[in-house]
C-alpha cells in the first residue's frame, strides 16, 4: 500500500542521478560537521543542500535536470575515472600499470616478468619497464 503511494508520487518525476548522490553526500558531511562543531550556519547550509536534492528528485523538468547532471559529470567525470583507476590498480595484484611516455595511455602488463619491452596499444611507442 505504501509502495503504491510512493510509486504514484514519483510517477513523472525526475528521481535520482549522480548529482543527487553527490549532493546527498555533501548534505551528510555538512550535517555531521555542524552537529560535531555545533555550527548553526553549517546546519542551515546542509538543509539548503537537502532541499535542493528534494527539489531535483521531485522535479518534472527532465531536460533541465539532465542538463545539470551532464554539467556535473563533465566536471566530476575525470576525477571519478581517476579514482576508479586507482582502485583497480590497488586491487589488481597480478598486473603492473604503466603510463605511455608519448601519449599517456594506461597500460597493464603481467607482474613478475622482469625487464620487458612494453608496446603502447594506441600510439605504438615502445619502452622498457621493470615489472
Amino acid at each position: 500500500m505504501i509502495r503504491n503511494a510512493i510509486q504514484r508520487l514519483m510517477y513523472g518525476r525526475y528521481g535520482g542521478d549522480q548529482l543527487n548522490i553527490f549532493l546527498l553526500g555533501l548534505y551528510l558531511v555538512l550535517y555531521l560537521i555542524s552537529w560535531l562543531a555545533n555550527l548553526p550556519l553549517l546546519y542551515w547550509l546542509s538543509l539548503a543542500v537537502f532541499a535542493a536534492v528534494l527539489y531535483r528528485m521531485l522535479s518534472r523538468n527532465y531536460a533541465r535536470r539532465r542538463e545539470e547532471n551532464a554539467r556535473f559529470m563533465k566536471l566530476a567525470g575525470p576525477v571519478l575515472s581517476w579514482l576508479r583507476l586507482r582502485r583497480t590498480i590497488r586491487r589488481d595484484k597480478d598486473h603492473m600499470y604503466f603510463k605511455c611516455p608519448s601519449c599517456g595511455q594506461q597500460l597493464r602488463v603481467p607482474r613478475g616478468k622482469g625487464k620487458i619491452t612494453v608496446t603502447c596499444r594506441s600510439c605504438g611507442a615502445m619502452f622498457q619497464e621493470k615489472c
Side-chain angles (χ1 to χ4, degrees), residues 74-110:
K74 190 173 183 179
L75 289 172
V79 174
L80 294 175
S81 63
W82 183 82
L83 288 171
R84 272 189 224 107
L85 178 65
R86 293 294 134 216
R87 184 182 64 197
T88 301
I89 290 171
R90 188 172 24 89
R91 288 181 179 175
D92 191 1
K93 303 298 181 201
D94 299 330
H95 297 92
M96 294 277 297
Y97 289 80
F98 300 107
K99 197 174 251 193
C100 175
S102 61
C103 70
Q105 174 76 29
Q106 284 287 337
L107 305 169
R108 184 181 80 159
V109 296

Side-chain angles (χ1 to χ4, degrees), residues 17-19 56 65-73:
D17 59 8
Q18 292 90 352
L19 178 55
R56 291 189 82 253
R65 302 295 85 81
R66 283 188 189 130
E67 181 184 318
E68 291 168 353
N69 192 52
R71 282 195 311 254
F72 171 74
M73 289 306 292

